[in-house]
Amino acid sequence: MAKLLTPDICVIGAGSGGLSVAAAAAAFGVDVVLIEKGLMGGDCLNYGCVPSKALLAAAKAAAGNRNQDRFGIHSQGLDIDFAKANDHVRSVIAAIEPHDSQERFEGLGVTVLRDEARFTDEMTVEVGDFRIKARRFVVATGSTALVPPIPGLDEVPYLINETLFELRETPKHLAIIGGGPIGLEMAQAHRRLGAQVTVFEAAKALGKDDPELAGIVIESLRDEGIEILEETAVERVEQAGEGVRVLARTADGTAVETEASHLLVAAGRAPNVENLGLDEAGIKFDRRGIEVDQGLRTTNRRVYAIGDVAGGLQFTHVAGYQAGLVIRSILFRMPVKMNNTLVPWVTYTSPELGHIGMTVTEAKRAYSGAVKVLTAEYAGNDRAQAEGATKGRLKLIVGPGGRLAGADIVGAQAGEILNLLSLALSKKMKMKDLAGFIAPYPTLGELVRRAAISYYADMPKKVWLRSLLAILRKFG
């Protein structure tokens, strides 16, 4: 007979979102059951953000050794040990694992069950030898790589993010289906570590980002020798010796044929909704994920869904943000509302590409065209010049009254600069705030101040204001 557990909260999924809910609830002394059928830490730790950034770090080191002539440093050749780069990936995961481990969470007072969970009715979950009737449930099962129905794909070996980091040798030629952030990050990483790389993208690469700034990234990757075929749909793949042959067609009908030693599928993500018993629980879902309201509740009011499984923006930091909202709702009965405009995202190529808030088009629609776009070039930044990182641009999207509405940035450390802009947007700051803070010199963060100062370029009529702006332009 199954053992009955009656916690306050039952969390299904021990990825970023689920772990955050469990840890926060346990900190308040709440009885929590956490269920995970796979690895603790979920996709981010084991197959996603952590290993990909670790591999990118190894690739950046390789690229740095190649491009030092301008600094008077001449290397006599480069020997890349791909297996050791993979060891670095493994070591980074191992260093973070204890924070996400079953032992740590049990030490926090959480009951951790390592098995598959399934709803049997609207208020009961079964997992192994246990039946769980909780006051509230949180589904945080994440997503897996979407494998498109390309003819022949099921007949050839291919990689997804869950298997890519098992490689111990540099692929001779890596073909990638998908020109989004994952596809291009891994394209650059493997190119810098010695592979030939071809990327197939049916639409536009980095299509969710500012087209002009995305173009700077794409140009940089092509300059490194990566072949990026945009508006080129893969029609079929087939075995070619020990590798694969990719057959594609461009928008104008031109046939493209490429043979590669390895194939990576990076064509998006699919929510993990299978075998959860969602129908039995009265929870609506479709191929995009579980249906939730603005407070992240499902159609079963006892159940919340967060992270990738809830559809929408699929980032680790979104799952963490949503976990905080759910905790406020469950423990403190506070009204909460998901605000997508506060969510930043970054593609960690070199140069990095980041965005937060409204796009220019969205802002013009929201404010009836009363929008200014302010820019600052990396080439005009002293720190960028000193480090030879002058390829880049910052855009501030400004609404009525000088309030920040959004931002796009491409260039070195774009993600770090985006931290400041994320704070500014969340606190509804105006250009006077961003023009008035003191930035240490020389830093890339001065780009924000320089762009904000330009908001007042055509406004001053008073002599003192003109003088102030002249000083700011000279020393800002």
Side-chain angles (χ1 to χ4, degrees):
M1 183 176 178
K3 181 179 178 180
L4 178 65
L5 300 178
T6 57
D8 289 305
I9 301 174
C10 175
V11 182
I12 305 173
S16 174
L19 292 177
S20 296
V21 171
F28 285 102
V30 174
D31 187 13
V32 183
V33 170
L34 174 64
I35 306 168
E36 174 55 59
K37 68 177 182 178
L39 295 175
M40 296 289 289
D43 190 83
C44 179
L45 172 62
N46 298 288
Y47 313 118
C49 313
V50 171
S52 65
K53 303 312 168 280
L55 192 67
L56 280 167
K60 187 175 183 179
N65 277 315
R66 289 191 185 99
N67 302 310
Q68 301 300 326
D69 286 356
R70 61 189 167 186
F71 298 115
I73 300 170
H74 309 289
S75 51
Q76 299 300 314
L78 189 64
D79 181 23
I80 294 175
D81 186 338
F82 193 86
K84 197 161 186 178
N86 183 267
D87 289 341
H88 169 66
V89 172
R90 296 290 107 196
S91 71
V92 173
I93 294 173
I96 299 172
E97 272 179 337
H99 186 266
D100 294 351
S101 68
Q102 179 173 342
E103 292 76 15
R104 174 174 178 262
F105 276 80
E106 289 177 338
L108 295 174
V110 176
T111 299
V112 181
L113 304 177
R114 304 296 294 277
D115 209 334
E116 187 168 323
R118 181 180 180 84
F119 284 95
T120 56
D121 58 42
E122 293 186 353
M123 54 188 300
T124 308
V125 162
E126 287 191 356
V127 51
D129 295 329
F130 295 90
R131 288 172 56 241
I132 301 167
K133 289 183 177 291
R135 184 170 66 86
R136 294 289 183 266
F137 294 89
V138 180
V139 180
T141 50
S143 64
T144 53
L146 173 66
V147 179
I150 297 172
L153 190 57
D154 58 348
E155 300 172 6
V156 301
Y158 63 85
L159 300 162
I160 58 175
N161 68 302
E162 292 186 13
T163 54
L164 176 65
F165 303 106
E166 296 174 1
L167 294 179
R168 300 290 294 174
E169 295 182 358
T170 307
K172 182 178 180 181
H173 185 172
L174 178 64
I176 301 175
I177 299 175
I182 297 173
L184 293 193
E185 285 179 3
M186 292 300 93
Q188 187 174 49
H190 285 83
R191 176 58 184 159
R192 288 180 165 188
L193 291 172
Q196 181 181 349
V197 180
T198 302
V199 179
F200 296 88
E201 170 53 52
K204 289 289 186 181
L206 299 174
K208 293 183 179 180
D209 286 278
D210 180 285
E212 179 189 6
L213 303 194
I216 293 173
V217 175
I218 294 165
E219 179 186 24
S220 297
L221 269 57
R222 284 174 170 155
D223 287 345
E224 292 188 19
I226 299 170
E227 185 178 20
I228 302 175
L229 304 175
E230 297 182 280
E231 297 184 325
T232 303
V234 175
E235 296 185 331
R236 181 174 179 80
V237 296
E238 57 190 31
Q239 195 80 34
E242 295 184 357
V244 296
R245 181 179 296 109
V246 181
L247 305 170
R249 194 169 300 277
T250 65
D252 65 6
T254 303
V256 177
E257 183 176 315
T258 299
E259 289 192 13
S261 60
H262 295 73
L263 175 64
L264 170 64
V265 177
R269 308 287 296 174
N272 291 328
V273 294
E274 300 298 324
N275 302 317
L276 285 173
L278 298 178
D279 288 326
E280 287 85 343
I283 299 172
K284 288 185 179 179
F285 68 98
D286 57 25
R287 62 180 180 82
R288 296 168 295 182
I290 293 175
E291 180 182 315
V292 295
D293 62 17
Q294 292 181 325
L296 301 168
R297 281 191 173 184
T298 71
T299 48
N300 178 341
R301 303 297 289 173
R302 290 177 176 269
V303 183
Y304 295 78
I306 63 174
D308 288 7
V309 76
L313 298 173
Q314 296 180 323
F315 303 107
T316 294
H317 49 280
V318 170
Y321 165 53
Q322 292 176 338
L325 295 178
V326 164
I327 284 293
R328 287 163 57 189
S329 177
I330 295 176
L331 298 189
F332 305 108
R333 308 293 177 88
M334 296 174 63
V336 296
K337 182 179 180 181
M338 176 71 184
N339 186 351
N340 282 333
T341 62
L342 298 181
V343 177
W345 66 73
V346 180
T347 299
Y348 294 94
T349 47
S350 294
E352 294 182 1
L353 176 65
H355 169 82
I356 189 170
M358 296 183 184
T359 64
V360 174
T361 300
E362 289 169 342
K364 287 182 176 179
R365 187 184 306 122
Y367 300 124
S368 301
V371 172
K372 282 190 172 185
V373 179
L374 312 176
T375 62
E377 302 292 328
Y378 269 65
N381 178 271
D382 293 0
R383 181 62 177 272
Q385 285 288 350
E387 298 197 355
T390 56
K391 183 178 289 188
R393 181 176 301 131
L394 167 68
K395 289 184 179 182
L396 300 183
I397 302 160
V398 185
R403 178 170 291 172
L404 181 66
D408 291 284
I409 181 169
V410 62
Q413 298 185 47
E416 301 300 327
I417 297 170
L418 207 59
N419 279 314
L420 170 60
L421 296 171
S422 179
L423 174 64
L425 192 69
S426 69
K427 295 302 180 183
K428 301 181 179 179
M429 290 184 184
K430 297 184 177 182
M431 291 306 100
K432 66 178 182 180
D433 303 307
L434 295 178
F437 82 98
I438 300 173
Y441 175 86
T443 58
L444 295 175
E446 292 178 283
L447 287 161
V448 175
R449 189 163 174 262
R450 180 175 290 274
I453 289 169
S454 70
Y455 178 76
Y456 301 98
D458 58 353
M459 294 184 178
K461 295 183 179 179
K462 297 181 179 180
V463 174
W464 69 267
L465 190 51
R466 288 200 194 100
S467 300
L468 176 60
L469 286 172
I471 293 171
L472 290 173
R473 289 195 191 100
K474 182 173 179 61
F475 297 105

